[in-house]
Amino acid sequence: MSRYYWAGCLLCALSAPVSSLISPSAIKNTRAHDVRTLFSAAPSVEPTTNTDKSIPPEEGQNHYDAVVVGGGPAGLLSAIMLAQKLPPLSSLSSSAKRVVVYDRLDPPPPPDNLVYSTDVSKYYLLGIGHRGQNALKYFDVWNDVEKASVAVLGRRDWAPGKMKEEDARITMSNKEVTSRVLARDKLVGVLKQVIETRYKDVIELKYGYQVDPISFGNEDVTSDGEESGPPVQLQVSQCTPLSSDGDTEECSIENNQPSKVTTQFLIAADGAARGIANAMETADEEYRKQRNIFQRLFGKSKQLPFRVTRYDDDNQRVYKSIPIKFPDHWAHDLNYSARSVNSRGTFEALPSDANGNYCALLLLRPDDVLASANCDPKVLREYFDLQFPQFSKLLGDDVMEDVAKKGASTLPSFRFAGPRHHEGKRTVILGDCVHTVKPYFGLGANTALEDVKILSQIIESIPDLEKNIDQAPLEFTKQRAADSRALVKISRGMDRPGKIGTMRFVLPLILDSMFNKIMPKVFGPSMFGMFQKQGVTFTQIQKKKRLDRLMQSVVIATILSSIGMGFGYSTKVLAQALGMSCTVVRGSLAAAMLAAGFARSKLSKKESN
């Protein structure tokens, strides 16, 4: 059985790299991951004064209490959180905005735009579970999101070889919180609408901009935390996408004069591109290179090291999105799933609206001919007719031609940043900046939204916040760094390649189900059951599953040992009764069992014929 059945569909696609950051010297064809940072003449974490005369002050406002880099779900929710929880940190004019959000892309369509139903394959879907819903409720925006989303009440699945409409098995969800599904851009549109209607006097949204750190404002940061240092200094450049669709990884800023912006508090929520995180990593590497061997061994470091752990994707899957309209007699609140006989492909579909418009994904291996751009639509149709006829009849030739024409999209690789999620005392990174996972298990965007809630609770707990806001970044690291690492390691452990990887995925699920049913107070539910438990962190899940594995091993070893001892005693008694040696008796019993197994297999073949 494929692990993709157990994983379910892509209920929670990872937030796109919505605000990648590149250096001011970037020119045409600069990609989001090609990040170069700007620092002082000495390439360390120390800030510089504004000696770069080529960076003029921004026209208009050039200082904010808080800056958010990244206009995705986590970024906009961070801005709403700051508007609600953060008191004024600077002396700003009455007309000035206290919070600004920078994003490199154009804003998405409003949530009521019909494009989310008419062009469903363009907008990938997010499944909002209990972590995301609790975070959205915390900031009083859940009602708005709920109205724009669709409930998914269960799953209708076709096992390999089962292709008739009536062959599917329906499994209704028994989760405490019903998952809601909506397009990722639609969620962004909802949060943007909330900002424009409730917080327009506090939050400024700026699209088409890239941000590079000049200084993190941590020149005076010491381990005892006596000084906070100067504000964070950022270079802001207008970004012009090179393609007309406004959703490209490439942009040009060669004709735009960058400006300088300062802030008392920086939140980086720029997705898997992790521009600020990459800048932090570069700064940390340079800082440690400058320290000699004695300083490294015996000197007092300003703060913990920082690095991004990047895993090679050794179990790659790519996907093509497919718009599909289900007829009225099909339920419009289920996830539809099917797997091919030879494990070549997996078909997953989630509702885009309540009217039967679904966005489906065809998951393939990267080297599959169907994954290539401009593949033969007739070959694609033949594949669907053979493996997924229940869906093929719902897809027109025009859809097949469009799907065959476009190239496959890749899933993100596993990454996590740490052991700290802050730089100095004024910068925090959260969301996919610090924990990037594949979207199989519905954890990426939900955990990013949960990050914002936890940061908010930290900010609320700090007394005299105007003077002590610098306590928040370090506390966020203490509460979330280990959890981010555990999330990525758990998710990657469930995505190992080959038959051994599949066995490592399925066997624990079986064992957890058995032991939890027998001793629910001792053994926890399966990993998926643990994911659905509210109030349980990923670090706690990781520790609980390790303890369960240890106890399961002890129980199984004890049972096998008892069986072995019982078998040995039985053969000894039988040997004495027959007057034969124990070796002969054991050999005879083994031969008899092999003969019985062989005879049973032969009989089964005759009955099947």
Side-chain angles (χ1 to χ4, degrees):
M1 183 175 291
S2 168
R3 76 190 71 187
Y4 302 106
Y5 167 75
W6 296 99
C9 62
L10 302 182
L11 273 178
C12 186
L14 200 69
S15 297
V18 296
S19 184
S20 53
L21 299 104
I22 59 176
S23 71
S25 60
I27 56 173
K28 280 194 194 176
N29 300 325
T30 302
R31 290 196 171 272
H33 62 266
D34 182 20
V35 182
R36 292 170 233 167
T37 56
L38 280 177
F39 296 98
S40 61
S44 71
V45 294
E46 303 293 334
T48 62
T49 57
N50 185 25
T51 58
D52 187 351
K53 303 300 182 181
S54 67
I55 305 177
E58 181 169 349
E59 295 181 8
Q61 189 170 343
N62 60 7
H63 180 80
Y64 297 86
D65 282 347
V67 170
V68 178
V69 178
L76 293 189
L77 191 63
S78 294
I80 292 171
M81 178 271 292
L82 292 168
Q84 293 179 359
K85 312 296 182 182
L86 192 68
L89 301 178
S90 311
S91 298
L92 300 173
S93 66
S94 59
S95 62
K97 305 292 179 71
R98 294 198 296 112
V99 180
V100 63
V101 179
Y102 290 107
D103 193 276
R104 67 186 299 275
L105 300 179
D106 295 328
D112 57 354
N113 195 302
L114 291 178
V115 71
Y116 294 115
S117 293
T118 58
D119 195 6
V120 297
S121 63
K122 182 178 179 181
Y123 301 99
Y124 65 83
L125 302 178
L126 301 179
I128 309 298
H130 70 88
R131 295 178 188 275
Q133 290 185 29
N134 289 339
L136 294 167
K137 289 175 183 177
Y138 194 80
F139 301 108
D140 195 27
V141 296
W142 172 242
N143 289 340
D144 303 88
V145 175
E146 187 176 27
K147 292 175 185 176
S149 62
V150 183
V152 176
L153 303 181
R155 178 181 180 83
R156 188 177 183 185
D157 180 78
W158 285 262
K162 302 293 184 179
M163 303 174 188
K164 295 180 181 179
E165 189 175 323
E166 60 271 17
D167 290 340
R169 183 179 67 175
I170 296 178
T171 305
M172 301 307 294
S173 173
N174 60 356
K175 297 183 291 187
E176 294 181 21
V177 176
T178 300
S179 293
R180 307 283 301 192
V181 175
L182 76 167
R184 183 258 185 199
D185 279 13
K186 195 174 186 180
L187 174 58
V188 173
V190 171
L191 296 177
K192 178 175 180 288
Q193 200 170 71
V194 168
I195 289 173
E196 292 172 340
T197 55
R198 302 183 204 172
Y199 305 106
K200 61 182 179 180
D201 294 333
V202 181
I203 302 173
E204 183 175 7
L205 301 176
K206 305 194 76 170
Y207 293 92
Y209 287 88
Q210 293 194 150
V211 179
D212 293 285
I214 299 172
S215 164
F216 288 109
N218 53 0
E219 62 184 351
D220 295 319
V221 173
T222 58
S223 57
D224 55 10
E226 291 182 356
E227 297 292 338
S228 299
V232 177
Q233 301 178 34
L234 304 169
Q235 179 173 278
V236 180
S237 308
Q238 285 187 320
C239 172
T240 304
L242 294 179
S243 69
S244 58
D245 62 9
D247 191 29
T248 176
E249 289 283 331
E250 301 178 354
C251 68
S252 172
I253 58 174
E254 61 179 345
N255 297 322
N256 296 307
Q257 185 72 7
S259 59
K260 176 182 170 184
V261 172
T262 58
T263 183
Q264 300 298 111
F265 197 64
L266 171 64
I267 296 179
D270 51 339
R274 55 176 51 83
I276 299 297
N278 288 340
M280 290 168 56
E281 186 177 36
T282 300
D284 189 77
E285 289 173 355
E286 294 298 332
Y287 166 70
R288 299 191 186 282
K289 284 180 182 178
Q290 292 177 2
R291 292 164 61 86
N292 59 45
I293 184 65
F294 296 103
Q295 290 174 322
R296 295 177 191 175
L297 292 175
F298 307 109
K300 199 171 188 179
S301 179
K302 290 192 172 185
Q303 53 190 0
L304 293 171
F306 179 87
R307 67 187 294 263
V308 178
T309 300
R310 303 166 176 86
Y311 293 101
D312 292 332
D313 191 353
D314 52 9
N315 192 28
Q316 288 188 343
R317 290 294 186 277
V318 297
Y319 67 91
K320 287 189 175 184
S321 56
I322 305 172
I324 185 169
K325 170 81 173 182
F326 286 108
D328 291 338
H329 68 278
W330 290 54
H332 296 165
D333 54 9
L334 295 178
N335 160 216
Y336 291 101
S337 172
R339 288 148 289 133
S340 62
V341 174
N342 55 5
S343 299
R344 179 182 178 184
T346 301
F347 184 93
E348 298 283 354
L350 282 171
S352 296
D353 57 29
N355 302 316
N357 293 300
Y358 271 60
C359 178
L361 298 180
L362 178 62
L363 284 159
L364 300 163
R365 290 184 174 85
D367 57 354
D368 196 305
V369 65
L370 297 179
S372 61
N374 299 312
C375 68
D376 190 341
K378 293 182 180 179
V379 175
L380 182 62
R381 171 68 77 181
E382 291 173 358
Y383 174 73
F384 267 82
D385 287 342
L386 181 63
Q387 299 292 344
F388 308 122
Q390 68 273 43
F391 301 121
S392 184
K393 63 185 180 182
L394 303 177
L395 300 173
D397 291 338
D398 55 337
V399 173
M400 282 292 178
E401 290 176 2
D402 289 342
V403 174
K405 184 178 180 181
K406 63 185 176 184
S409 301
T410 59
L411 297 173
S413 299
F414 295 104
R415 302 177 186 179
F416 69 89
R420 55 183 165 89
H421 291 176
H422 69 281
E423 179 68 37
K425 293 193 172 185
R426 300 189 184 278
T427 301
V428 170
I429 56 175
L430 53 78
D432 293 326
C433 290
V434 289
H435 44 70
T436 305
V437 296
K438 291 184 180 180
Y440 298 141
F441 312 121
L443 299 175
N446 283 276
T447 307
L449 297 176
E450 186 179 55
D451 285 345
V452 182
K453 176 186 173 183
I454 289 174
L455 179 59
S456 176
Q457 292 172 333
I458 291 171
I459 288 175
E460 293 173 58
S461 68
I462 297 174
D464 199 4
L465 187 59
E466 296 91 331
K467 297 180 181 178
N468 299 313
I469 184 63
D470 54 2
Q471 296 177 13
L474 179 59
E475 185 60 30
F476 185 73
T477 285
K478 291 179 179 178
Q479 293 195 27
R480 289 302 270 179
D483 228 30
S484 296
R485 182 175 181 271
L487 164 63
V488 175
K489 285 189 169 292
I490 289 172
S491 300
R492 184 172 180 267
M494 300 172 74
D495 188 51
R496 308 313 303 130
K499 293 182 179 180
I500 294 178
T502 301
M503 184 59 68
R504 286 177 57 188
F505 178 85
V506 175
L507 184 58
L509 296 179
I510 297 173
L511 291 175
D512 286 339
S513 178
M514 291 171 51
F515 280 90
N516 178 250
K517 182 176 286 189
I518 297 170
M519 293 177 282
K521 292 184 178 181
V522 178
F523 295 95
S526 69
M527 192 68 78
F528 293 119
M530 294 296 294
F531 288 158
Q532 300 306 322
K533 279 184 169 290
Q534 299 194 55
V536 181
T537 67
F538 295 109
T539 306
Q540 291 171 334
I541 292 174
Q542 189 179 53
K543 291 179 179 179
K544 176 59 178 173
K545 287 294 101 182
R546 286 174 177 171
L547 180 60
D548 281 354
R549 297 290 171 264
L550 177 61
M551 292 192 297
Q552 288 167 2
S553 300
V554 171
V555 171
I556 292 172
T558 302
I559 293 174
L560 292 177
S561 178
S562 299
I563 292 173
M565 292 173 64
F567 180 76
Y569 178 78
S570 300
T571 55
K572 186 176 181 180
V573 172
L574 185 59
Q576 290 176 351
L578 297 175
M580 302 171 66
S581 68
C582 291
T583 303
V584 173
V585 172
R586 291 192 187 105
S588 300
L589 291 174
M593 286 188 288
L594 288 174
F598 180 76
R600 184 177 180 181
S601 65
K602 285 289 185 181
L603 184 61
S604 299
K605 288 182 180 179
K606 286 183 179 181
E607 290 178 351
S608 62
N609 292 332

